[in-house]
Amino acid sequence: MTIAGTTPSTRAEVLDALRRGERFVLVTHENPDGDALGSLVAMQSVMRALGKDSLMFIGRDEFPLPYEYAFFEFDDLITEVPPDVLERTIVFLDCGNFDRNAVDIGDATIVNLDHHHDNTHFGTINHVDPAASCTAEIVWDLMRGLDVPLTPRIAEALYVGLVTDTGRFMYENTGPAAHVMAADLIEAGVDVHEIYRRLYEGVPEPKLALLTRALQRVQRFDGGRLTLARLTREDFAETGAEESYTEGIIDHLRAVQGTKVAALARELTGAEAAGRSKVSLRATDGAVDVSLIARAQSGGGHRQAAGFATSMGPDELVAFLRQEVAAQLDA
Ligand SMILES: [Mn+2]
């Protein structure tokens, strides 16, 4: 199966680069989510099956990972950039953009595998498919192109990427290929209920307390088309919640009748991040492209799910969001 939206030539180029290369390092974005980690773990297993010298990089400051992903087992994990990185092919998974100026990677070959429609095509080879439900779907396709057999381990990692990035098969990005892929993974031994339990149950109590606070603080604007909640540093401190516990809160905001755009703003808790907030955005239908709003603040994402960081205060943020939503809906 060729994934819609990518040209056969970039797929062939990637397959060729993966077959020919001998040493690789696999990387993903910061604050890695289920798709980032699942794609990374699956790709590492694929590279090992091909007999490659492949390392998987996750920065030291990403640990501990969010509790729902703590079950992942990482083979050949490195938390520091390897000294020979420039001699390795660097495979980026699920990264919409990459600041080449921030990290010196010289002339290293970069393979860019992603599904963000606003991917900046920063790689040497860019295999970017916005029609793919998740990066795991792209890895699944490449695995087949490389004739690597699907093991239970690969299947489980890919399934985590698939189920998290599609909102359990309910977001708009869930195409036929996502379900064909799910069938393939389940046939290979994925225990669907067990993965559901790991990802969505076992919620720490502070996470519930944080959700309670967010729901108490819902604000609606312009007839309800903008639904917003804010979480402060005090909320995190007083509930004992970690930053990653905000995961899923925005789905409650998005679900409110009449909402076109849902926004969750949370103050960053790190000492160096004082006064800065992270804003997550979700669109409920095709009427608003939230990636445009995020990009106006140097963020990015998908049409229906995007985010940005900002130093704007609460009032300024509300004014900005109302104006951006109006610019798209009232044009
Ligand atoms: Mn993804």
Side-chain angles (χ1 to χ4, degrees):
M1 176 187 289
T2 304
I3 297 179
T6 58
T7 63
S9 69
T10 63
R11 182 178 185 270
E13 271 180 66
V14 171
L15 293 175
D16 194 50
L18 297 177
R19 279 196 202 100
R20 283 167 183 263
E22 286 170 9
R23 296 155 80 193
F24 295 84
V25 59
L26 314 181
V27 302
T28 188
H29 57 77
E30 56 177 17
N31 302 317
D33 57 12
D35 189 29
L37 294 169
S39 298
L40 203 59
V41 168
M43 195 70 194
Q44 175 67 8
S45 295
V46 168
M47 300 311 284
R48 292 297 300 270
L50 292 172
K52 305 296 183 181
D53 168 357
S54 181
L55 299 169
M56 182 165 56
F57 172 81
I58 301 174
R60 188 178 296 285
D61 49 0
E62 301 291 358
F63 291 92
L65 293 172
Y67 71 93
E68 57 268 63
Y69 306 127
F71 67 86
F72 271 119
E73 288 168 25
F74 301 107
D75 287 339
D76 310 307
L77 175 71
I78 49 168
T79 56
E80 305 285 348
V81 176
D84 64 347
V85 63
L86 297 184
E87 292 144 39
R88 291 176 179 269
T89 298
I90 308 175
V91 181
F92 278 76
L93 295 146
D94 203 45
C95 295
N97 56 69
F98 169 65
D99 183 0
R100 281 172 169 278
N101 301 318
V103 186
D104 180 17
I105 44 145
D107 296 325
T109 302
I110 293 182
V111 176
N112 172 12
L113 306 177
D114 186 34
H115 68 127
H116 292 86
H117 78 103
D118 60 353
N119 185 292
T120 56
H121 289 242
F122 55 83
T124 317
I125 305 171
N126 299 288
H127 189 48
V128 177
D129 181 9
S133 62
C134 51
T135 297
E137 189 178 313
I138 297 171
V139 173
W140 175 67
D141 174 66
L142 293 173
M143 176 200 76
R144 290 142 57 105
L146 292 164
D147 295 316
V148 170
L150 185 58
T151 61
R153 181 182 171 82
I154 296 176
E156 186 178 282
L158 291 175
Y159 191 79
V160 170
L162 178 63
V163 79
T164 55
D165 251 30
T166 58
R168 312 180 209 178
F169 304 99
M170 283 187 279
Y171 294 158
E172 206 182 45
N173 62 358
T174 310
H179 283 282
V180 172
M181 174 176 164
D184 190 36
L185 303 182
I186 294 166
E187 268 173 15
V190 166
D191 184 336
V192 170
H193 185 66
E194 175 58 26
I195 292 192
Y196 163 76
R197 299 250 321 149
R198 286 185 205 165
L199 291 174
Y200 299 109
E201 297 192 345
V203 174
E205 201 172 316
K207 183 170 177 172
L208 196 66
L210 194 70
L211 170 64
T212 304
R213 290 191 178 213
L215 296 182
Q216 280 168 341
R217 231 165 281 144
V218 172
Q219 293 178 288
R220 309 196 69 201
F221 299 94
D222 302 314
R225 68 186 185 181
L226 172 63
T227 299
L228 175 140
R230 272 186 80 247
L231 289 168
T232 64
R233 294 164 78 100
E234 291 71 40
D235 290 322
F236 289 92
E238 289 165 16
T239 58
E242 295 169 16
E243 290 197 0
S244 70
Y245 290 3
T246 53
E247 181 73 39
I249 291 178
I250 199 162
D251 296 323
H252 294 273
L253 309 180
R254 160 166 44 195
V256 183
Q257 187 175 40
T259 300
K260 294 288 181 186
V261 172
L264 177 71
R266 59 177 168 95
E267 285 184 332
L268 295 174
T269 55
E272 72 294 344
R276 287 187 65 78
S277 298
K278 223 165 194 177
V279 182
S280 302
L281 299 172
R282 297 289 184 274
T284 52
D285 56 31
V288 177
D289 177 351
V290 291
S291 72
L292 289 177
I293 303 177
R295 224 173 307 154
Q297 293 291 332
S298 306
H302 306 282
R303 287 184 180 83
Q304 307 249 117
F308 63 92
T310 180
S311 301
M312 282 189 272
D315 295 342
E316 199 185 346
L317 176 64
V318 166
F320 166 74
L321 292 174
R322 290 177 67 187
Q323 177 197 320
E324 288 288 319
V325 172
Q328 291 195 41
L329 285 181
D330 306 335

